Structures are given as C-alpha cells and as structure tokens.
Amino acid sequence: MSDKTERLKTMIIGSGPAGYTAAIYAARADLKPVVYTGLEPGGQLTTTTEVDNFPGYPNGIDGPSMMVELQQQAERFGTDVRIGRATAVELSDEVGGIHKVTIDEDRVVEAETIIISTGATAKYLNIPSEQRLRGGGVSACAVCDGFFYKGQDVAIVGAGDTAAEEASYLANICNKVTMLVRKDYMRASKAMQHRVDSLKNLEIRYNSEVDEVLGDQVVEGLRIVNNQTGEKEEIAITGLFIAIGHKPNTDIFKGQLDMDETGYIITDAKSTKTNRPGVFASGDAQDKIYRQAVTAAGTGCMAALDAERYLATIEAAPEEVV
Ligand SMILES: Cc1cc2nc3c(=O)[nH]c(=O)nc-3n(C[C@H](O)[C@H](O)[C@H](O)COP(=O)(O)OP(=O)(O)OC[C@H]3O[C@@H](n4cnc5c(N)ncnc54)[C@H](O)[C@@H]3O)c2cc1C
C-alpha cells in the first residue's frame, strides 16, 4: 500500500439520517463522498423498533431496516461507506484549506470539505431495570414514542425545559402523566412551569427518583423513592420517558469549532456552515431543539448542498468565498 495520504473531496463523519442524506446529495453531485460510520453504524434509530413518523413509510418501519435502506440509497450513487471512527481532527481555518482527520487513532485522511453528522447521545439514568426495558416501554424521546402510549398512564423523568415540553406533549395524548423531579423545584423556565402546572392530567412529584422500573418484557410500573423520606411507592404505568438531556458527540471538535455550553456545534444563520471554511455540521450534533430523523435528514441535505457550493466557489474564485 502506498504511504501517500489519501485526499477526499467530501468526508462525512457519521452514518445516521443526517450523514446518509448528506451522502445521497453529495454523491449525486459528484463529490465522491466517503462516510465514516463511527461505532454505531446507522445511528440512534438502530436502537428503536418502530419509526412511524418518517415520511414515505405509510406503515412505519423498524429503525435498523430504515437505516439499511438509507445506506443502500447512498451507495447506489457511489458513496463509499467505511467502518471507522474519527478520533482527532485538524481543521484548516483558510478558505480552500485542507482538513485532516485521524481515523481510529491510526491513519490520517485529508478532505477538502467535511460534513459532521456525529449526532447526540441521550442520557439515561443507567439503572439496570431501565436499561433492560429500553425499547420495551422506556424511551428517551417523547415526540418519537409518545404516540404508542396514547390514552395510557406514563411517567417522565426530568426537570428542565425539554422535560417540561415533553411532559406537556405527553399530557396531550396520554391519560395521565406523572413527572418525577429529583429536587424540590424545577429547572424549567417559569413559563414552562406554568404550562405543566396548568395540565389537569399531569402530576409533579418533587424529591422523587426512580428506584426501579417494573416489568419483565415491557414496562408495567414504576417504584418511586422519595429522596428526603426514603419512602417508596409503586405506580402503574406502561411507558417511562427519560428527559434528562443529551450529549452531542462533538468532543473531537472542541477548541476548533464554535459550540454552545453543552457542545452543540453552532452553525451560521440558515446554513450548515461552521466557523471553519469547508466544514459543515448537520443533524443532532448541531440541533438541540428538534432532534428528529427527518430534521437530521433535512440538514444533511443542506450540508451537502453547502459543501457543493463551497467547492464550486473556491474552484471559480477562492477569494470570494465567505
Ligand atoms: C430510542 C430512540 C427512538 C427514536 N425514535 C425516533 C422516531 O421514531 N422518529 C424520529 O424522527 N426520530 C427518532 N429518534 C431521534 C433520531 O434517532 C435522531 O434525531 C436522529 O437519529 C439524528 O440523526 P443524526 O444523523 O444527526 O445522528 P445519529 O443518528 O445520532 O447518528 C450519529 C452517527 O455518528 C456516528 N459517530 C459519532 N461519533 C463519530 C466519530 N467520532 N466518528 C465517526 N462517526 C461518529 C455514530 O456512529 C452514528 O452513526 C429516536 C431516538 C432514540 C434514541
């Protein structure tokens, strides 16, 4: 094998809906994209059984099958999908500059443009019964999975704005929502607190934590513990939603890309441009608000179009790129 460093036109880091959609557009535009899959080929949707809200699947589809189809669609246009994880980056700050990405701590690959689609990881409580019942009634996405519990009793864990937002969403479709708040107050904004307080079928339990999720194959109930008194109580529920935050998978870009305090990559206005020319960010790695497969796919499309325009402009007149 030659020891010459490989140089790509477009490298896509991540193989979720954002990465594969970027790949479809980039491949069709002849950018010869290479996708590095990371440790979770197919991304977060490979951890869920039913995806009911992605357009084009009238009967729904299971997450892993949907991601295989997206990969096949990207490959149909010539995308090169490689197993590998980006472990370090050296991003140029010059227009037309070459970016360097280390793969698997082993070899460096150069790229004229990079599309970051590394997603985010939902935080869980990490107690054994919760982990065992993930996909069996435990979910970290109320907007994705709440519908399956329509008319039923559910619980949600969390105290921030997202938790309050998801609790109100659930209250609209479920029979009863019990919201567990670890402290004796909520972190959510006053406006969001008023919103949850006004919901008649939502009960907030302060100083309350999950002791155990009950059920063998599916969630049947919850044992709650009051962290002040130690008192335990069981409630009957069929769904448990964990809304304690997400961690964007962006650590390797720290210090080089602008990010918010949580690590979400900041993109420029209505584009996917980052603060480094030729580096674009899409999907959950840059979106803390919507976090859906279809929005990730949408920004993946945008990133490929942004990369294409960037390359076209530097080839024409490098000094005019902004
Ligand atoms: C349980 C669950 C159920 C869900 N259900 C739905 C649903 O029904 N409908 C819906 O619209 N949304 C759903 N979502 C949300 C949806 O999965 C995400 O919004 C979407 O997957 C985000 O896509 P993404 O491409 O940005 O990132 P992800 O899907 O998170 O993919 C990230 C990719 O980046 C890769 N990666 C990370 N770091 C590196 C690295 N250093 N180098 C190389 N690769 C890397 C990973 O291996 C992965 O392939 C659900 C989420 C969860 C957790």
Side-chain angles (χ1 to χ4, degrees), residues 52-113:
D52 250 0
N53 54 8
F54 198 87
Y57 294 104
N59 302 312
I61 184 165
D62 69 278
S65 303
M66 179 179 143
M67 293 316 300
V68 167
E69 291 193 1
L70 265 180
Q71 176 176 345
Q72 287 170 345
Q73 192 174 354
E75 285 174 332
R76 178 155 76 92
F77 302 111
T79 302
D80 182 354
V81 178
R82 300 180 186 172
I83 302 291
R85 186 167 70 100
T87 46
V89 294
E90 205 181 300
L91 303 176
S92 167
D93 53 12
E94 281 172 27
V95 171
I98 298 300
H99 311 289
K100 295 180 180 171
V101 179
T102 306
I103 302 297
D104 294 332
E105 293 173 350
D106 176 45
R107 61 193 185 283
V108 173
V109 177
E110 296 181 343
E112 291 171 42
T113 56

Side-chain angles (χ1 to χ4, degrees), residues 152-201:
Q152 301 174 34
D153 291 357
V154 300
I156 181 164
V157 180
D161 275 329
T162 305
E165 183 93 45
E166 297 208 344
S168 341
Y169 178 86
L170 291 170
N172 265 332
I173 51 179
C174 297
N175 180 52
K176 182 179 175 191
V177 179
T178 303
M179 186 170 188
L180 304 184
V181 176
R182 192 153 49 102
K183 302 215 165 121
D184 60 0
Y185 62 90
M186 281 179 76
R187 273 187 301 108
S189 64
K190 286 277 172 272
M192 282 311 297
Q193 286 186 42
H194 288 316
R195 196 156 133 199
V196 288
D197 283 342
S198 70
L199 297 165
K200 295 208 170 14
N201 60 341

